[in-house]
Amino acid sequence: MLKKRLDKTSYNQPIKPKGGTSVKIGRIVKVSGPLVTAEGMEDANIQDICRVGHLGLIGEIIEMRKDIASIQVYEETSGIGPGEPVETTGEALSVELAPGIVSQMFDGIQRPLNKFKEVSQSDFLVRGTNVDALDREKEWEFIPTLAVGQEVEAGDIIGYVQETKVVQHKIMVPYGVKGKLTKVEAGNFKIEDTVYQIETESGVRDFNLIQRWPVRRGRPYKVKKNTEVPMLTGQRVIDTFFPVTKGGAAAVPGPFGAGKTVVQHQIAKWADVDIVVYVGCGERGNEMTDVLNEFPELIDPTTGESIMERTILIANTSNMPVAAREASIYTGITIAEYFRDMGYNVAIMADSTSRWAEALREMSGRLEEMPGDEGYPAYLGSRIAEYYERAGRVETLGSDGREGTITAIGAVSPPGGDTSEPVTQNTLRVAKVFWGLDATLAQKRHFPSMNWLTSYSLYDPEVGKYMDENVHANWSEYVQHAMNTLQEEASLEEIVRLVGLESLSERDRLTMMTAKMLREDFLQQNAFDDVDTFTSREKQYRMLELILTFEKEARRAMKLGSYYAEIIDGTEDVRDRIARSKYIPESEIARFDEIREQIKTDIEKTIQHGGMTHA
Ligand code: ADP
């Protein structure tokens, strides 16, 4: 069945099967957990997909020595043993890309989880079961955008299918194909039906709606570009202080209970991207079950539809062996690249890359490779880098010069929260943003618990420029000032701890007050409040402006002789209004002007009043 499937789609297969399509047979010599060694495999190649044992388990060759192949098997290997056959398909581990992919939940090697359960009639995956990644029977309405007679090249968009309410699935000429469009028709098609024909140098070829792509290879593009536009998340601490660009990469460590899940949900819900790919490589099955249950219930606020209308889930259920976890992030990023190639902005979240790295470590151990840092293989760093390098902003293939982006957000779960361990360190080398979730802040109920002192974004300059031009000319200046204030607070706190609050100057006490307002009124954001859950850029600016206006006016008053205590007394009401400004709906943003005016009048009153007492 597998072979038949390959033959059917082989014309869209960009990589020539290495061993031809004929099936070669070797014999198992050893089974060690997910690693199977087979002899007589001289015709196979590294990265070939194999069918292992009488059960036909799916595996991938990860090492070849003469005729001996080491195969990582994506299914539980118990019960198979030496002497059983191993067939190589000659094909690399690939994903199927066609309408029907959005809203799906797949396992690490793109087997649809729902279908799998149907076929196997139980919650447990039956080994060796063959299911198609995508529905073969469903019909899609294809609308052509090019006409017969036009010259086309790889990446050109022939037409589209409205895949979900919010996603238009562009049908692109596969990689390596060039020629004249000789047939294209509107109509309802199944994904295996011929939809268009191209006359290439080697003759007329039929094309259906499916492309296949080997997951370990990045899909090609024309040029990679600098990222400049921030991805809006509506989360103030991210957008204002630690932004990630569309096409950028961010790492988020998530100690248990620090609010990692909420951050991810918020991004999946609010990020201004077209497609979200969520890769769950969890150790604990129930974590993954949570995602599978919760995501379909989340509503995309801009469309009012379930976020699944633009989401693809890749999940490693607890009963899937470690090797499938290793493959899952590649399956995810390949799907992300496919949608990027359509000209979309895609966000991919991997949770957690530490679990993925552990899978790598386990396979490396079984291969008896020389271990590096903490037992991870020496190539851990390059594997992590290769993954994040597939994020970015690119000009895609195709003659229309369109652009697409992939923003990669990788959760890491360092054991004991120790970020000096290899996975975190290697991730930080390639991801330019670090959102340091902090268990202590979470305990204090400061959410999102991103530590403003340890987090950083190296996209600050680009994003600052963008925000200055698109939101307000003062943006970067305000952000810089606010961050300095928060840092100053940290050093002042040291002094307070040593010699007490009384020792602080009036000026420093105002700094402490401003920092407190920044923390409580700006950084703290309740994901579960209807209004506070999302803040537009404009409102983020307005909120920041209120706090900084308060500070500026208060400093002016001090210069004119007012005492800190007087200012605090005289501004109680307006400070309360500043604190509640997060609950002002986006539609009533004009209310910020009133509050700003009140800051000025109240402080002016304090100055007048102070002037009188001092006189
Ligand atoms: P983790 O996934 O890191 O274990 P969660 O994301 O489940 O942690 O967060 C734990 C709890 O913290 C949540 O159930 C919620 O009560 C609270 N929390 C986290 N982030 C926020 C937020 N932004 N707003 C309000 N509450 C939050």
Side-chain angles (χ1 to χ4, degrees):
M1 177 164 175
L2 183 78
K3 182 171 175 296
K4 192 164 134 239
R5 200 170 98 198
L6 294 180
D7 286 345
K8 267 199 221 161
T9 55
S10 59
Y11 45 72
N12 283 1
Q13 170 62 26
I15 304 247
K16 287 256 176 309
K18 294 166 194 149
T21 41
S22 64
V23 170
K24 311 285 187 223
I25 300 198
R27 301 256 151 238
I28 296 178
V29 285
K30 188 178 154 201
V31 179
S32 152
L35 187 73
V36 167
T37 316
E39 63 181 9
M41 301 289 290
E42 56 276 2
D43 291 323
N45 285 293
I46 193 148
Q47 293 190 355
D48 281 1
I49 287 297
C50 302
R51 285 292 186 167
V52 178
H54 294 306
L55 287 171
L57 307 183
I58 301 171
E60 179 185 5
I61 301 182
I62 53 173
E63 192 184 81
M64 282 294 301
R65 286 203 185 130
K66 294 192 185 133
D67 71 324
I68 308 276
S70 300
I71 304 161
Q72 69 174 0
V73 178
Y74 295 122
E75 301 180 272
E76 175 58 48
T77 53
S78 58
I80 64 165
E84 289 188 41
V86 175
E87 297 178 2
T88 161
T89 62
E91 209 206 34
L93 181 64
S94 300
V95 282
E96 214 168 67
L97 303 161
I101 198 165
V102 180
S103 315
Q104 286 303 317
M105 304 182 198
F106 298 106
D107 74 3
I109 52 171
Q110 211 204 3
R111 292 179 297 187
L113 289 171
N114 299 341
K115 258 287 168 50
F116 223 81
K117 284 183 185 169
E118 274 169 39
V119 172
S120 61
Q121 297 288 314
S122 89
D123 273 1
F124 293 92
L125 312 179
V126 167
R127 295 184 290 164
T129 311
N130 229 332
V131 280
D132 290 317
L134 302 174
D135 192 334
R136 294 293 190 266
E137 297 310 316
K138 186 165 169 140
E139 289 199 346
W140 300 95
E141 187 187 359
F142 170 76
I143 299 170
T145 47
L146 291 184
V148 166
Q150 281 179 283
E151 292 295 331
V152 292
E153 61 183 47
D156 280 347
I157 293 169
I158 302 277
Y160 65 89
V161 159
Q162 191 67 42
E163 181 171 2
T164 68
K165 290 195 185 101
V166 300
V167 176
Q168 210 176 67
H169 192 121
K170 311 275 169 69
I171 304 302
M172 298 174 286
V173 176
Y175 183 60
V177 177
K178 193 173 163 51
K180 190 157 83 182
L181 200 57
T182 47
K183 182 186 146 194
V184 60
E185 273 170 34
N188 290 334
F189 298 96
K190 296 178 183 168
I191 58 175
E192 288 180 311
D193 293 342
T194 296
V195 175
Y196 62 100
Q197 272 178 348
I198 295 176
E199 189 181 327
T200 67
E201 272 182 358
S202 53
V204 175
R205 287 170 60 183
D206 289 342
F207 292 89
N208 60 23
L209 296 176
I210 307 174
Q211 294 198 15
R212 290 179 66 77
W213 194 264
V215 298
R216 298 194 191 273
R217 256 208 200 181
R219 281 174 60 88
Y221 49 81
K222 276 195 188 137
V223 266
K224 202 155 206 171
K225 300 184 160 186
N226 286 336
T227 65
E228 287 158 6
V229 178
M231 181 175 85
L232 176 68
T233 66
Q235 311 306 300
R236 295 186 289 268
V237 62
I238 296 179
D239 294 344
T240 299
F241 290 109
F242 309 112
V244 62
T245 48
K246 283 185 181 153
V252 47
F256 182 71
K260 183 172 55 117
T261 315
V262 176
V263 167
Q264 277 169 338
H265 282 194
Q266 288 296 85
I267 293 177
K269 248 168 108 167
W270 294 107
D272 62 339
V273 292
D274 306 297
I275 299 283
V276 173
V277 180
Y278 183 93
V279 184
C281 9
E283 198 172 35
R284 284 170 297 160
N286 57 343
E287 273 179 16
M288 219 38 247
T289 322
D290 282 352
V291 172
L292 297 185
N293 292 335
E294 284 170 24
F295 264 51
E297 311 229 309
L298 296 180
I299 299 297
D300 176 347
T302 41
T303 60
E305 303 292 338
S306 157
I307 62 162
M308 288 308 289
E309 296 282 311
R310 62 163 192 179
T311 303
I312 296 140
L313 291 177
I314 316 275
N316 290 116
T317 48
S318 53
N319 42 12
M320 289 223 62
V322 66
R325 203 194 295 164
E326 196 276 324
S328 62
I329 69 163
Y330 299 101
T331 298
I333 194 109
T334 308
I335 293 172
E337 285 173 336
Y338 175 64
F339 283 96
R340 170 204 69 189
D341 291 347
M342 294 180 199
Y344 288 134
N345 294 308
V346 184
I348 180 166
M349 297 193 257
D351 179 17
S352 113
T353 55
S354 301
R355 301 282 100 82
W356 165 81
E358 281 161 17
L360 207 62
R361 175 165 67 186
E362 180 172 340
M363 293 316 295
S364 168
R366 290 187 191 273
L367 283 170
E368 293 171 13
E369 291 171 341
M370 178 89 87
D373 251 6
E374 296 193 17
Y376 288 106
Y379 47 79
L380 173 72
S382 60
R383 290 285 170 86
I384 289 178
E386 275 163 27
Y387 171 73
Y388 283 100
E389 274 159 16
R390 289 173 72 172
R393 167 182 167 221
V394 304
E395 183 183 332
T396 68
L397 296 186
S399 46
D400 62 355
R402 63 185 183 273
E403 278 185 13
T405 63
I406 297 178
T407 309
I409 295 154
V412 276
S413 28
D418 167 20
T419 52
S420 68
E421 58 85 44
V423 182
T424 316
Q425 283 307 310
N426 280 300
T427 305
L428 291 183
R429 236 164 254 155
V430 280
K432 289 192 179 175
V433 180
F434 178 66
W435 294 326
L437 296 187
D438 187 319
T440 325
L441 285 174
Q443 274 155 19
K444 291 189 196 152
R445 309 294 298 163
H446 175 112
F447 290 117
S449 70
M450 252 164 240
N451 184 320
W452 53 92
L453 298 174
T454 55
S455 299
Y456 61 79
S457 166
L458 302 181
Y459 297 113
D460 268 347
E462 301 92 305
V463 172
K465 188 162 170 282
Y466 177 91
M467 300 297 264
D468 288 348
E469 284 168 8
N470 290 279
V471 182
H472 201 285
N474 289 339
W475 177 277
S476 316
E477 191 195 316
Y478 279 11
V479 171
Q480 191 56 52
H481 178 77
M483 189 41 74
N484 291 347
T485 306
L486 288 165
Q487 282 164 352
E488 216 175 313
E489 179 194 40
S491 28
L492 290 174
E493 266 170 355
E494 280 299 302
I495 300 177
V496 172
R497 242 193 304 277
L498 292 172
V499 282
L501 194 63
E502 302 71 36
S503 62
L504 290 188
S505 67
E506 293 264 301
R507 189 200 158 276
D508 288 344
R509 293 182 73 171
L510 181 58
T511 303
M512 295 285 275
M513 173 52 87
T514 311
K516 180 169 182 275
M517 290 166 80
L518 286 169
R519 280 188 285 109
E520 294 177 1
D521 307 342
F522 188 84
L523 290 180
Q524 286 188 13
Q525 184 170 5
N526 184 354
F528 305 107
D529 180 88
D530 284 348
V531 174
D532 200 23
T533 184
F534 173 89
T535 311
S536 68
R537 287 176 179 140
E538 173 67 16
K539 190 176 152 190
Q540 295 189 30
Y541 174 78
R542 297 295 205 107
M543 290 176 67
L544 202 56
E545 188 191 35
L546 284 188
I547 299 172
L548 298 190
T549 303
F550 168 80
E551 189 199 7
K552 197 167 132 214
E553 288 296 307
R555 292 216 188 276
R556 189 172 71 86
M558 280 179 166
K559 266 208 181 123
L560 293 173
S562 298
Y563 287 107
Y564 173 75
E566 286 175 324
I567 295 168
I568 294 305
D569 276 353
T571 54
E572 206 167 318
D573 178 60
V574 78
R575 278 186 293 112
D576 191 47
R577 286 187 78 187
I578 296 173
R580 281 183 289 112
S581 70
K582 55 173 83 164
Y583 303 114
I584 296 177
E586 298 285 340
S587 56
E588 295 171 28
I589 216 153
R591 282 167 56 191
F592 279 86
D593 291 335
E594 290 164 29
I595 305 178
R596 201 180 51 209
E597 286 317 304
Q598 195 191 335
I599 296 173
K600 290 186 181 161
T601 22
D602 286 4
I603 294 219
E604 196 52 44
K605 276 189 216 149
T606 311
I607 296 172
Q608 297 305 331
H609 174 72
M612 276 189 291
T613 24
H614 296 160

